[in-house]
């Protein structure tokens, strides 16, 4: 059968037997697999068989090489929708140059229905509260790191994004493709694999810091379930949960080595603390004890995202408006007030203004806390985004001063578009995104009414079994959604709002699809931004034109 023994870890997945009544409702059933290498029919066929016998699982987590040298024929059927994965499947990125082309977006994206690329690095939090940290690629052997590799900086930034939280205790699951170096220290034998030479030291460092309850890896074409290890020093530190490391073999291997692992887990955040830290009888010392002792001696380098916000400002056009001061002294203040530092991204961010990834030729206005940019591959030439300068994931995470400036940009855009005989439609998708993007798309007044727009959204939502609810005109989104809640909402320039609480899968292009539909803009071919991307000179020209026309309405040039 090739899958080996499937153990549904009902007890150990809950960190021991004991009391489970408080956590029972939060339990989730997961599958993890090793290198698929393009054998999609083999892995999905096995998943179907397991679900038919043991009931439904919530997701499949794939580590190692998801694609192989002969993937294209099988993959085409899934990519085109002819076939569908039987379970939500989350995969890591390329481990070699040959498969890079299968991953179009470094920050993560939907590759096919039910198959999602998590991204280069980061943390995935589902609606259950389960935290899954992930790191794609193999350890770089050269600088700069190739696109299929991770560097010391990648690991440092992923660690920083989690360890900066004062209440951080660890993550539920860690996904990496390489094994951690020295994982076999103090443990049962890994067979033919020499754990002192195999794997990545950076992954060891990451595992030592993030303290995952489960850590899955692959690439070595071997199955190895290490004895659980402790994450504290006995009699010296407060007891903590244990980590279970599981390496999985390649799918369909002829040696019948185990490549698929079933387990049940309750999110750490939902568990009774005493149950969480129970130590199994076979627990061992931490294999990365030496790394943990050395950790305080090393300090992660300051990343671009950590620089103070006052350094982010730049003059878009020296002949237009006034230059924004970047120091308090230039404003006449003898002691400038320090702005509250926004949260830091879990990986490279395309929208933090300080980030080198930002395509600054699209920026059309910069305020104190927010900026305005043309959308890449916009639905129309005047499709813009309102974005916070610092890193905020959603509207409900915004501080009061940032929210105030978002409101000012909305008012300015409403006045601007009305002067051109248009009304705007604004939407936000707080799902599969790291940085808040308020999409603002103008619709000609003579094309449709506000009621037409609302009806189009509601009708298409019903077709896709999406519950889109109208909320009171003057209600704040923060009143219906807590921070961390996945959601989608639409706002008209009249103040009317429609809201959907995302509890499972959600179509990433839903907002664009509705606006591009025949009922509204009648441009269905422009529903996907990737089909609308222009060359950089054209984008820059559009940005200059918008900036010039928007100038009389741009409060940032007057403040």
């Amino acid at each position: 059968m090739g899958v080996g023994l499937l153990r549904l870890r009902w007890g150990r997945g809950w960190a021991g037997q004991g009391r489970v009544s408080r956590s029972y409702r939060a339990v989730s059933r997961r599958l993890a697999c090793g290198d698929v290498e393009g054998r999609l029919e083999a892995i999905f066929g096995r998943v179907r068989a397991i679900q038919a016998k043991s009931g439904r699982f919530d997701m499949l987590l794939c580590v190692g090489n998801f694609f192989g040298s002969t993937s294209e024929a099988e993959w085409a059927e899934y990519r085109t929708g002819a076939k569908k994965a039987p379970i939500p499947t989350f995969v890591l990125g390329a481990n070699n140059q040959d498969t890079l082309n299968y991953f179009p977006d470094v920050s993560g994206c939907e590759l096919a229905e039910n198959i999602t690329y998590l991204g280069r690095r980061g943390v995935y939090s589902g609606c259950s509260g389960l935290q899954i940290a992930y790191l794609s690629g193999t350890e770089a052997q050269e600088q700069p790191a190739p696109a299929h590799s991770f560097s010391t900086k990648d690991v440092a930034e992923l660690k920083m994004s989690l360890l900066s939280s004062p209440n951080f205790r660890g993550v539920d699951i860690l996904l990496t493709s390489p094994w951690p170096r020295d994982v076999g220290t103090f443990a049962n034998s890994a067979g033919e694999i020499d754990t002192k030479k195999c794997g990545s030291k950076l992954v060891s460092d990451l595992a030592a810091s993030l303290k995952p309850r489960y850590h899955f890896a692959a690439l070595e074409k071997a199955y190895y379930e290490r004895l659980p290890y402790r994450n504290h020093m006995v009699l010296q530190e407060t007891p903590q949960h244990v980590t279970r490391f599981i390496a999985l073999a390649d799918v369909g291997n002829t040696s019948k080595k185990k490549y698929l692992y079933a387990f049940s887990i309750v999110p750490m955040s939902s568990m009774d603390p005493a149950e969480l830290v129970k130590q199994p009888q076979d627990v061992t010392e931490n294999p990365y004890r030496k790394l943990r002792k050395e950790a305080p001696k090393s300090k992660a380098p300051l990343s671009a995202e950590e620089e103070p916000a006052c350094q982010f400002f730049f003059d878009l056009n020296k002949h237009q408006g006034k230059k924004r001061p970047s120091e308090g002294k230039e404003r006449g203040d003898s002691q400038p007030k320090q702005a509250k530092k926004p949260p830091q991204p879990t990986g490279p961010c395309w929208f933090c203004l300080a980030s080198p990834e930002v395509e600054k030729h699209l920026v059309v206005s910069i305020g104190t806390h927010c900026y305005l940019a043309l959308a890449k591959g916009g639905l129309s030439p005047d499709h813009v985004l309102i974005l916070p300068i610092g890193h905020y994931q959603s509207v409900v995470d915004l501080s009061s001063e940032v929210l105030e400036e978002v409101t000012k940009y909305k008012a300015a855009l409403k006045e601007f578009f009305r002067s051109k005989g248009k009304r705007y439609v604004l939407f936000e998708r707080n799902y599969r995104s790291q940085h808040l993007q308020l999409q603002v798309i103008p619709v000609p007044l003579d094309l449709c009414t506000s009621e037409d727009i609302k009806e189009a959204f509601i009708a298409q939502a019903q077709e896709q079994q999406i519950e889109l609810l109208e909320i009171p005109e003057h209600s704040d989104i923060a009143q219906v959604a807590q921070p961390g809640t996945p959601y989608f909402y639409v706002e008209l320039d009249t103040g009317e709002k429609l809201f959907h609480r995302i509890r499972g899968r959600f179509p990433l292009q839903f907002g664009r699809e509705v606006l591009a539909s025949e009922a509204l803009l009648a441009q269905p071919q422009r529903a996907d931004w990737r089909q609308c991307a222009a060359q950089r000179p054209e984008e820059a020209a559009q940005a200059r034109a918008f900036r010039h026309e928007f100038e009389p309405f741009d409060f940032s040039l007057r403040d």
Side-chain angles (χ1 to χ4, degrees), residues 189-210:
S189 170
E192 68 271 26
I193 305 297
D194 184 350
T195 60
K196 293 187 181 299
K197 297 179 181 178
C198 155
S200 162
K201 289 183 179 179
L202 288 178
V203 171
S204 300
D205 178 33
L206 185 65
S209 299
L210 298 194

Side-chain angles (χ1 to χ4, degrees), residues 151-349:
S151 64
T152 303
K153 182 181 177 184
D154 289 316
V155 171
E157 291 182 355
L158 178 52
K159 286 166 53 179
M160 191 185 308
S161 68
L162 288 160
L163 300 179
S164 58
S165 170
N167 299 319
F168 179 77
R169 293 183 295 170
V171 296
D172 293 298
I173 299 171
L174 173 62
L175 305 177
T176 64
S177 287
W179 290 29
R181 179 74 59 87
D182 292 320
V183 70
T185 306
F186 309 124
N188 49 313
S189 170
E192 68 271 26
I193 305 297
D194 184 350
T195 60
K196 293 187 181 299
K197 297 179 181 178
C198 155
S200 162
K201 289 183 179 179
L202 288 178
V203 171
S204 300
D205 178 33
L206 185 65
S209 299
L210 298 194
K211 303 174 185 176
R213 293 165 66 203
Y214 283 88
H215 180 181
F216 294 97
L219 294 184
E220 299 299 328
K221 301 187 182 302
Y223 168 66
Y224 174 51
E225 183 170 2
R226 189 201 187 280
L227 291 172
Y229 63 82
R230 61 176 65 94
N231 284 297
H232 66 278
M233 297 182 70
V234 178
L235 302 180
Q236 296 182 42
E237 296 176 325
T238 304
Q240 298 183 49
H241 58 273
V242 301
T243 294
R244 292 181 170 87
F245 172 75
I246 297 107
L248 295 162
D250 49 319
V251 170
N253 66 86
T254 55
S255 302
K256 308 296 183 184
K257 294 177 182 177
K258 184 171 176 178
Y259 62 81
L260 193 60
Y261 190 93
F263 65 109
S264 295
I265 185 169
V266 173
M268 188 184 300
S269 57
S270 300
M271 290 192 67
D272 182 285
E275 293 294 321
L276 177 65
V277 302
K278 278 190 173 180
Q279 307 290 297
Q281 288 186 346
D282 56 354
V283 68
T284 78
E285 184 54 67
N286 191 303
Y288 320 121
R289 186 169 60 178
K290 186 177 178 182
L291 279 173
R292 293 180 70 225
K293 288 180 178 178
E294 294 173 350
K297 300 176 186 177
S298 61
K299 186 176 180 182
L302 187 72
S303 65
E305 291 90 341
E306 294 179 271
E307 295 176 6
C310 61
Q311 297 179 12
F312 299 169
F313 299 114
F314 58 93
D315 190 10
L316 285 169
N317 189 331
K318 293 181 180 178
H319 305 291
Q320 178 177 321
K322 62 183 181 182
K323 184 176 180 179
R324 300 191 60 78
S326 60
E327 299 291 341
K329 291 179 181 178
E330 294 179 25
R331 301 188 188 101
D333 300 333
S334 57
Q335 292 185 343
K337 185 179 179 181
Q338 291 292 322
K340 185 179 178 181
K341 188 176 177 181
Q344 301 301 306
T346 59
C349 182

Side-chain angles (χ1 to χ4, degrees), residues 73-151:
E74 283 192 42
W75 174 239
E77 295 183 288
Y78 288 88
R79 178 172 46 80
T80 59
K83 290 185 178 180
K84 176 185 172 182
I87 183 173
T89 302
F90 295 83
V91 309
L92 294 181
N95 297 299
N96 54 65
Q97 189 70 34
D98 296 339
T99 56
L100 270 177
N101 61 304
Y102 289 101
F103 303 95
D105 188 347
V106 71
S107 61
C109 58
E110 190 176 62
L111 300 177
E113 187 174 1
N114 254 10
I115 302 176
T116 301
Y117 165 45
L118 285 166
R120 186 179 177 89
R121 66 177 185 269
V123 180
Y124 175 82
S125 298
C127 55
S128 68
L130 201 70
Q131 266 202 327
I132 303 174
Y134 56 89
L135 179 68
S136 290
T138 55
E139 183 173 337
Q141 302 301 313
E142 58 187 280
Q143 294 298 331
H148 59 271
S149 298
F150 55 83
S151 64

Side-chain angles (χ1 to χ4, degrees), residues 401-421:
E401 59 269 21
V402 181
L403 190 59
E404 182 182 349
E405 193 160 273
V406 166
T407 303
K408 290 174 75 172
Y409 267 120
K410 286 182 190 177
L413 287 168
K414 176 179 179 178
E415 189 180 358
F416 170 63
F417 286 130
R418 287 296 175 119
S419 74
K420 294 183 167 297

Side-chain angles (χ1 to χ4, degrees), residues 26-45:
V27 69
S28 60
R29 306 172 75 216
R30 311 284 162 130
L31 290 168
C33 81
D35 307 84
V36 177
E37 294 185 340
R39 302 182 189 102
L40 304 180
E41 288 304 292
I43 185 60
F44 291 143

